[in-house]
C-alpha cells in the first residue's frame, strides 16, 4: 500500500516541479543563511556542555515556540552553538528545525526555509538522523504551504514518503507524521474527498496506525491521529464523529501536557463543526478557548489566533451581529493575507466580510470582497484542475506498470515451478531429520523425567525418615514428661499432702495463743508448694488436653499465665479443629508453651496474643508480643527455637518468625490437616 501511494502521486509531482523549486530556493537561501550565521556569532559558547545538556535546551525551547517565540529562538540558538562545538550534528539539525518553526510563527518564511535547508545537511546517517530528515521535509512542506505554493508543499510531503518507504521504516511515530501530513494536505486542497481513491488509501494507513497506537498505549500518537481523523469527518460532513474525535483527543492530551498548538487546532476544528451545523454559539465558545491558549499581546499573532478570529467573525455573521463580524474579521484577514496563509482561510474571510457589508448596506465594500472571494475560488479551481491532470497521468503510468508487472509475474511463475520441486525434496529430507530429532528429544526427556522422579522419591524417603526420627524423639520426651508428672503428683504430691494434714492436726490441737506466726507461715508455704507442684504436673502432662482438646487446653494455659505473671495473654480461636490426632495436638500445645515461656524469660513484654485458626485443610497458630524483639536469622536460634522448629518439622509444618528489635516478635505456624484422619484418641504415655 505504501509503495502504490508513493508511485501514484509523488513521481509526477517530483519531476514536474523540481525545476521550479530550485529556481525559487536559491536566492532565499543565500540571503537568509547569512542572517542565521550572524545570529550564531552573538551567542555565548558553554565551556562545559554535553549532548544531554543540548537535548534539554532544545526540549525546553520546543515548549516555548508557540507561546514565547523570542525565548524559544534564544534557546534554539544556544543549543545549536553547543551542538556545533560538540560536533553533535543531529542536535544542530534539531535546533535549525526549531528555528524554522519560530520563523514561520513570525511570518519570516524565507528565513524558515533557509534554516530547514541547512538542517538537511546536518542530519546524520543513523536512525535519529533519518527521523530528523523526515521531520525537516515535513517542516519544509508546511512552510511552502503557508507561502501558498501547494505544488512545492506536495513535493516535500511525498519526498518524506519516499524516504519512509526506501528505508522500510516501521516506526509508528514516523509513519504517523508522514501519513497525517499527506492527509492534512489533501484535506485542505481538495474539498470533495469522500470518493477520492488516494485519500482513502491514506485513511487506510491512518486507521492501521490508530489500531497500533491503541495496542501500544501511545497516547500522544492517538491524539495526533484523532486530530486528523476529526478533520476527515468534518470534511465529509459527519460532524458528530468529528466532534467525538476532537473531544477524545483533548481529553487524552491533557494527561500528557500536549502543546498549545495541538490543543488550539482541536478546539478550532470543534468550532468549525458547529459552524457547519449552523450553530454559532458553541462554535464561538470553542474558538475563544483556542485564542486564550496564546498570549494576547504578541506583536505577531499566532496563525491559530488569526484562523479563530475569522471563524468567530463567521459565527457573528450567523448571529446577525454584522458590525462585530466586520470588526473581528477585517484585521484577521489582513494578517492572513500578509502572511500568505492558505487560500481556503482567506476565501472564508472575504466571504464573511462580503456577506456582513451587504447586510449593513455597504454594497461597494461588499462587492469588493465578493470579487476577492471569487478570485480565491478560481485559484482553488485551478488547483483542482491541476490535481485532475496529475490523476490522469498517474493512471497512464499505472497501466504501463501493470504491463511490466504481468511480464515479470510470468517469469516469476516459471521460476517458482522449478523452485517448488527443489523445495519438496528439501522438505522431505528436513522432515526426516526433524522426525529423528524429535524422537531423540522425546527419549532424552523421558530418561530425564525418570531421573527426576527417582531423585524426588529419594528426597521424600529422607524427609519421611527425618520426620519419623523427630516424632520418635518427641514421643520419648512426652513419655518421660508423663512419668515425671506421675512421680511428682503421686510421690512428692502425696508426701506434701501428708505433711500438710499432720501439721493441720497439730495446729488444731493447740490454742491460738500457742501458735506462732512462723507456724502459720510454714502452713501457707506448704500450701503454695502443693499448688505449684500440681501446676508443674499438669503442665508436664495436661489432663485437659487429653480430655477436652487443644483449644480448651491452650485457653486454660493462657489463663494461668495471666494469673501468675505480669504478662497479659489474649487467647483467640477461629473455627473448629477436627481431624488433628492427639499426637499433633500435644506437639502444637508444647510449641505454644515454649513460645510463651520464651516471652516470659526474654522478651520483657507486657502483652501477648495467642491465636489458633482452624480451616478445612489447615491449622494456623500465631503468637505475638510487644517485647524487645530478636534476631530472625538461623544463627540466632537457641535451644528453645531449635526445639520449636523440630516439633513443627515433625508435623511437616511451616514456621515463620518476623521480629524487629524494640518492636516485638510475631511467630506464625501453619500445619496441614489430613481430612481422612481417624477420630481423636488419648495420647499413650505409659511404657507398657
Amino acid at each position: 500500500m505504501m509503495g502504490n501511494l508513493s508511485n501514484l502521486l509523488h513521481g509526477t509531482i517530483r519531476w514536474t516541479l523540481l525545476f521550479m523549486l530550485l529556481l525559487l530556493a536559491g536566492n532565499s537561501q543565500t540571503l537568509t543563511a547569512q542572517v542565521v550565521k550572524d545570529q550564531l556569532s552573538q551567542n555565548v559558547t558553554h565551556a562545559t556542555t554535553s549532548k544531554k545538556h543540548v537535548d534539554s535546551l532544545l526540549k525546553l525551547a520546543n515548549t516555548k515556540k508557540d507561546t514565547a517565540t523570542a525565548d524559544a529562538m534564544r534557546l534554539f540558538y544556544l543549543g545549536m552553538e553547543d551542538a556545533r562545538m560538540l560536533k553533535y550534528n543531529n542536535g544542530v539539525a534539531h535546533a535549525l528545525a526549531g528555528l524554522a518553526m519560530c520563523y514561520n510563527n513570525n511570518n519570516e518564511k524565507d528565513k524558515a526555509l533557509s534554516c530547514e535547508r541547512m538542517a538537511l545537511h546536518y542530519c546524520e546517517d543513523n536512525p535519529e538522523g533519518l527521523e530528523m530528515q523526515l521531520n525537516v521535509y515535513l517542516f519544509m512542506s508546511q512552510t511552502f504551504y503557508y507561502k501558498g505554493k501547494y505544488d512545492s508543499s506536495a513535493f516535500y510531503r511525498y519526498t518524506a514518503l519516499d524516504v519512509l518507504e526506501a528505508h522500510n521504516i516501521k516506526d509508528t511515530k514516523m509513519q504517523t507524521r508522514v501519513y497525517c501530513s499527506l492527509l492534512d494536505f489533501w484535506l485542505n486542497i481538495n474539498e470533495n474527498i469522500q470518493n477520492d481513491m488516494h485519500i482513502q488509501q491514506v485513511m487506510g494507513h491512518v486507521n492501521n496506525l490508530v489500531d497500533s497506537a491503541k495496542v501500544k498505549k501511545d497516547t500522544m500518537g492517538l491524539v495526533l491521529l484523532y486530530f486528523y481523523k476529526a478533520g476527515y469527518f468534518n470534511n465529509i460532513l459527519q460532524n458528530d464523529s468529528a466532534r467525538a474525535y476532537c473531544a477524545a483527543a483533548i481529553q487524552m492530551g491533557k494527561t500528557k501536557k500536549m502543546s498549545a498548538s495541538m490543543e488550539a487546532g482541536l478546539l478550532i476544528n470543534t468550532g468549525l463543526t458547529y459552524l457547519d451545523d449552523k450553530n454559532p454559539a458553541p462554535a464561538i465558545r470553542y474558538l475563544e478557548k483556542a485564542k486564550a491558549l496564546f498570549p494576547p499581546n504578541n506583536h505577531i499573532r499566532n496563525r491559530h489566533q488569526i484562523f479563530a478570529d475569522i471563524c468567530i467573525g463567521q459565527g457573528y455573521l450567523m448571529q446577525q451581529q454584522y458590525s462585530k463580524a466586520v470588526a473581528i474579521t477585517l484585521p484577521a484577514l489582513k494578517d492572513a493575507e500578509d502572511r500568505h496563509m492558505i487560500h481556503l482561510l482567506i476565501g472564508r474571510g472575504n466571504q464573511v466580510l462580503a456577506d456582513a457589508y451587504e447586510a449593513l448596506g455597504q454594497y461597494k465594500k461588499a462587492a469588493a470582497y465578493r470579487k476577492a472571494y471569487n478570485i480565491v475560488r478560481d485559484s482553488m479551481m485551478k488547483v483542482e484542475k491541476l490535481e485532475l491532470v496529475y490523476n490522469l497521468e498517474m493512471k497512464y503510468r499505472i497501466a504501463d506498470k501493470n504491463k511490466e508487472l504481468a511480464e515479470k509475474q510470468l517469469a516469476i511463475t516459471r521460476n517458482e515451478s522449478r523452485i517448488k520441486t527443489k523445495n519438496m525434496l528439501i522438505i522431505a529430507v528436513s522432515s526426516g531429520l526433524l522426525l529423528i530429532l524429535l524422537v531423540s528429544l522425546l527419549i532424552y526427556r523421558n530418561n530425564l523425567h525418570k531421573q527426576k522422579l527417582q531423585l524426588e522419591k529419594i528426597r521424600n524417603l529422607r524427609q519421611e525418615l527425618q520426620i519419623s526420627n523427630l516424632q520418635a524423639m518427641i514421643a520419648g520426651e512426652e513419655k518421660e514428661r508423663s512419668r515425671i508428672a506421675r512421680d511428682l503428683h503421686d510421690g512428692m504430691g502425696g508426701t506434701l499432702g501428708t505433711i500438710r494434714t499432720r501439721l493441720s492436726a497439730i495446729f488444731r490441737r493447740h490454742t491460738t495463743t500457742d501458735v506462732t506466726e512462723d507456724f502459720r507461715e510454714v502452713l501457707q508455704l506448704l500450701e503454695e508448694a502443693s499448688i505449684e507442684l500440681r501446676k508443674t504436673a499438669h503442665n508436664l502432662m495436661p489432663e485437659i488436653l487429653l480430655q477436652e482438646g487443644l483449644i480448651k487446653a491452650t485457653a486454660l494455659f493462657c489463663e494461668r499465665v495471666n494469673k501468675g505473671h505480669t504478662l497479659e495473654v489474649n487467647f483467640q480461636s477461629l473455627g473448629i479443629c477436627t481431624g488433628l490426632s492427639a499426637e499433633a495436638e500435644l506437639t502444637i500445645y508444647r510449641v505454644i508453651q515454649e513460645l510463651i515461656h520464651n516471652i516470659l524469660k526474654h522478651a520483657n513484654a507486657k502483652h501477648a496474643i495467642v491465636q489458633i485458626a482452624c480451616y478445612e485443610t489447615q491449622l494456623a497458630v500465631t503468637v505475638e508480643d510487644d517485647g524487645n524483639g530478636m534476631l530472625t536469622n538461623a544463627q540466632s536460634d537457641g535451644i528453645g527455637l531449635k526445639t520449636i522448629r523440630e516439633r513443627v518439622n515433625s508435623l511437616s509444618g511451616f514456621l515463620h518468625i518476623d521480629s524487629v528489635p524494640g518492636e516485638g516478635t510475631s511467630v506464625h505456624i501453619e500445619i496441614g490437616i489430613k481430612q481422612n484422619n481417624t477420630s481423636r484418641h488419648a495420647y499413650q504415655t505409659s511404657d507398657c
Side-chain angles (χ1 to χ4, degrees):
M1 185 71 75
M2 290 184 188
N4 291 338
L5 189 58
S6 176
N7 291 332
L8 289 175
L9 290 178
H10 169 55
T12 304
I13 296 173
R14 179 191 292 273
W15 300 113
T16 306
L17 305 172
L18 180 59
F19 180 70
M20 294 176 62
L21 281 173
L22 293 173
L23 290 176
L24 292 169
N27 293 333
S28 62
Q29 181 173 3
T30 305
L31 291 173
T32 56
Q34 186 61 40
V35 176
V36 175
K37 291 177 181 177
D38 291 343
Q39 182 68 33
L40 275 173
S41 63
Q42 299 173 12
N43 289 289
V44 179
T45 302
H46 296 280
T48 56
T49 187
S50 64
K51 288 185 179 182
K52 185 176 181 182
H53 173 70
V54 172
D55 290 339
S56 298
L57 275 178
L58 299 180
K59 185 177 180 181
L60 178 61
N62 275 321
T63 63
K64 295 177 176 290
K65 66 179 184 296
D66 293 320
T67 55
T69 307
D71 291 342
M73 292 181 70
R74 180 179 59 83
L75 291 170
F76 278 128
Y77 274 115
L78 288 172
M80 178 165 57
E81 183 63 14
D82 284 353
R84 290 182 64 182
M85 185 185 69
L86 293 167
K87 296 183 179 180
Y88 177 26
N89 288 339
N90 281 336
V92 176
H94 189 171
L96 286 166
L99 284 170
M101 288 188 282
C102 293
Y103 281 128
N104 267 328
N105 289 341
N106 289 343
N107 196 24
E108 298 178 271
K109 303 294 190 303
D110 291 334
K111 290 183 180 180
L113 282 173
S114 178
C115 289
E116 288 158 354
R117 291 190 179 99
M118 291 174 64
L120 286 175
H121 294 294
Y122 284 98
C123 293
E124 299 177 10
D125 187 16
N126 55 35
E128 183 184 354
L130 188 62
E131 181 178 2
M132 181 54 61
Q133 184 182 5
L134 271 177
N135 288 332
V136 172
Y137 281 137
L138 296 179
F139 293 155
M140 292 178 75
S141 72
Q142 287 179 327
T143 305
F144 279 115
Y145 190 83
Y146 295 139
K147 287 170 71 71
K149 297 182 179 180
Y150 305 117
D151 47 2
S152 302
S153 178
F155 174 83
Y156 283 108
R157 291 174 203 253
Y158 281 97
T159 300
L161 180 61
D162 273 353
V163 173
L164 190 77
E165 293 177 348
H167 292 84
N168 195 24
I169 297 172
K170 301 299 184 183
D171 183 79
T172 54
K173 292 183 179 178
M174 296 170 72
Q175 290 185 4
T176 297
R177 294 192 195 108
V178 173
Y179 285 110
C180 286
S181 176
L182 289 172
L183 181 61
D184 178 52
F185 177 77
W186 292 113
L187 287 177
N188 286 287
I189 292 298
N190 191 350
E191 293 184 358
N192 183 20
I193 66 171
Q194 191 162 10
N195 299 316
D196 189 287
M197 177 184 68
H198 311 304
I199 293 177
Q200 294 308 315
Q201 286 180 346
V202 175
M203 280 303 298
H205 287 291
V206 169
N207 289 329
N208 290 336
L209 289 168
V210 167
D211 295 337
S212 177
K214 287 179 179 178
V215 171
K216 295 179 179 179
K217 297 182 180 179
D218 179 11
T219 302
M220 290 312 297
L222 274 177
V223 169
L224 183 63
L225 291 163
Y226 281 179
F227 176 86
Y228 288 105
K229 288 201 72 170
Y232 171 79
F233 283 111
N234 177 227
N235 191 288
I236 63 175
L237 301 180
Q238 295 185 19
N239 288 323
D240 288 338
S241 297
R243 283 192 287 270
Y245 278 112
C246 285
I250 291 171
Q251 185 66 30
M252 289 188 295
K254 286 182 178 178
T255 63
K256 295 292 184 178
K257 297 182 180 178
M258 65 179 167
S259 67
S261 294
M262 177 60 73
E263 187 174 358
L266 290 165
L267 291 169
I268 290 171
N269 278 358
T270 305
L272 287 173
T273 62
Y274 283 112
L275 289 177
D276 290 343
D277 290 342
K278 309 300 182 187
N279 190 0
I284 293 172
R285 188 167 62 252
Y286 277 99
L287 293 166
E288 291 288 358
K289 285 183 180 180
K291 285 176 58 180
L293 294 173
F294 305 98
N297 54 353
N298 272 3
H299 68 285
I300 297 177
R301 291 205 300 166
N302 187 283
R303 64 181 183 274
H304 295 291
Q305 294 171 304
I306 297 171
F307 198 177
D309 278 345
I310 290 176
C311 294
I312 290 171
Q314 186 179 355
Y316 286 146
L317 181 65
M318 290 181 182
Q319 293 179 336
Q320 299 181 359
Q321 300 184 49
Y322 305 116
S323 297
K324 292 180 73 172
V326 170
I328 195 168
T329 306
L330 196 59
L333 179 60
K334 185 178 184 307
D335 286 342
E337 289 173 342
D338 290 344
R339 298 181 63 174
H340 303 288
M341 295 182 74
I342 57 175
H343 286 181
L344 287 175
L345 180 59
I346 295 173
R348 186 189 291 263
N350 283 316
Q351 186 178 20
V352 169
L353 289 173
D355 292 343
Y357 278 125
E358 186 175 348
L360 291 170
Q362 300 182 33
Y363 300 109
K364 287 185 178 180
K365 291 184 178 180
Y369 282 108
R370 189 78 64 193
K371 181 180 179 181
Y373 169 70
N374 289 331
I375 292 171
V376 173
R377 284 294 299 170
D378 290 343
S379 174
M380 294 305 299
M381 290 301 294
K382 289 178 183 177
V383 173
E384 291 173 4
K385 290 176 183 177
L386 180 63
E387 180 194 349
L388 181 60
V389 173
Y390 287 158
N391 288 341
L392 289 173
E393 186 175 352
M394 277 182 268
K395 288 178 182 177
Y396 174 74
R397 290 178 180 271
I398 289 171
D400 287 343
K401 289 192 175 183
N402 285 340
K403 183 178 179 181
E404 292 177 8
L405 287 173
E407 293 175 353
K408 290 180 180 178
Q409 187 64 41
L410 180 59
I412 291 171
T413 304
R414 290 172 180 171
N415 289 331
E416 284 179 349
S417 62
R418 287 194 298 267
I419 293 170
K420 190 178 292 185
T421 305
K422 294 180 181 179
N423 287 344
M424 292 297 294
L425 181 61
I426 292 171
I427 290 172
V429 174
S430 300
S431 299
L433 293 174
L434 185 62
L435 182 62
I436 294 171
L437 180 63
L438 184 61
V439 171
S440 301
L441 181 62
L442 289 174
I443 293 172
Y444 172 74
R445 288 188 63 184
N446 187 41
N447 291 335
L448 190 63
H449 183 63
K450 287 181 179 179
Q451 290 179 6
K452 288 182 178 179
L453 287 176
Q454 280 188 326
L455 290 174
E456 187 67 26
K457 286 180 180 179
I458 293 170
R459 281 196 296 270
N460 290 338
L461 288 172
R462 287 176 178 173
Q463 188 175 8
E464 290 175 2
L465 181 61
Q466 185 179 8
I467 291 173
S468 298
N469 291 337
L470 287 172
Q471 289 176 343
M473 182 181 67
I474 291 170
E477 290 179 356
E478 293 303 331
K479 288 181 180 180
E480 184 63 18
R481 284 173 180 265
S482 178
R483 185 187 64 77
I484 294 172
R486 286 197 308 273
D487 290 345
L488 288 175
H489 187 273
D490 299 339
M492 185 67 72
T495 304
L496 287 175
T498 303
I499 294 171
R500 186 181 58 187
T501 303
R502 295 290 300 275
L503 287 176
S504 296
I506 295 171
F507 178 76
R508 285 193 298 271
R509 284 199 302 269
H510 293 78
T511 62
T512 304
T513 55
D514 294 332
V515 178
T516 65
E517 188 64 31
D518 292 338
F519 192 79
R520 289 192 180 91
E521 187 176 346
V522 169
L523 284 176
Q524 182 65 30
L525 289 173
L526 190 60
E527 181 69 23
E528 291 176 1
S530 297
I531 292 171
E532 287 298 323
L533 185 64
R534 285 197 301 274
K535 285 182 181 180
T536 301
H538 288 155
N539 285 337
L540 286 171
M541 182 50 64
E543 294 180 3
I544 190 170
L545 177 66
L546 305 177
Q547 298 171 1
E548 302 291 342
L550 176 64
I551 300 298
K552 289 188 178 181
T554 305
L556 180 61
F557 173 71
C558 293
E559 183 181 343
R560 287 175 178 171
V561 173
N562 283 336
K563 290 180 180 180
H565 302 85
T566 58
L567 177 67
E568 180 182 342
V569 182
N570 181 17
F571 175 70
Q572 302 171 358
S573 65
L574 302 172
I576 301 174
C577 293
T578 58
L580 274 177
S581 65
E583 292 89 342
E585 287 188 350
L586 182 59
T587 300
I588 295 166
Y589 179 78
R590 294 301 186 200
V591 169
I592 294 172
Q593 272 189 321
E594 186 66 30
L595 289 171
I596 294 296
H597 289 156
N598 283 346
I599 294 172
L600 290 170
K601 288 188 286 184
H602 307 297
N604 195 23
K606 294 183 179 179
H607 303 88
I609 296 174
V610 177
Q611 185 184 78
I612 299 177
C614 299
Y615 306 102
E616 291 183 0
T617 60
Q618 191 179 66
L619 178 138
V621 177
T622 302
V623 179
E624 296 182 359
D625 67 77
D626 59 357
N628 299 329
M630 67 177 197
L631 297 174
T632 57
N633 55 37
Q635 295 178 353
S636 66
D637 284 5
I639 295 176
L641 279 179
K642 185 177 180 182
T643 302
I644 291 170
R645 289 185 191 278
E646 289 177 350
R647 289 181 180 274
V648 173
N649 289 338
S650 70
L651 298 176
S652 300
F654 167 79
L655 171 68
H656 175 71
I657 301 174
D658 186 12
S659 179
V660 177
E663 297 183 10
T665 302
S666 174
V667 179
H668 183 72
I669 299 168
E670 293 181 3
I671 295 169
I673 299 176
K674 295 182 180 178
Q675 293 297 307
N676 298 324
N677 244 352
T678 56
S679 59
R680 188 178 173 278
H681 59 278
Y683 191 83
Q684 299 298 323
T685 58
S686 65
D687 295 329
C688 299

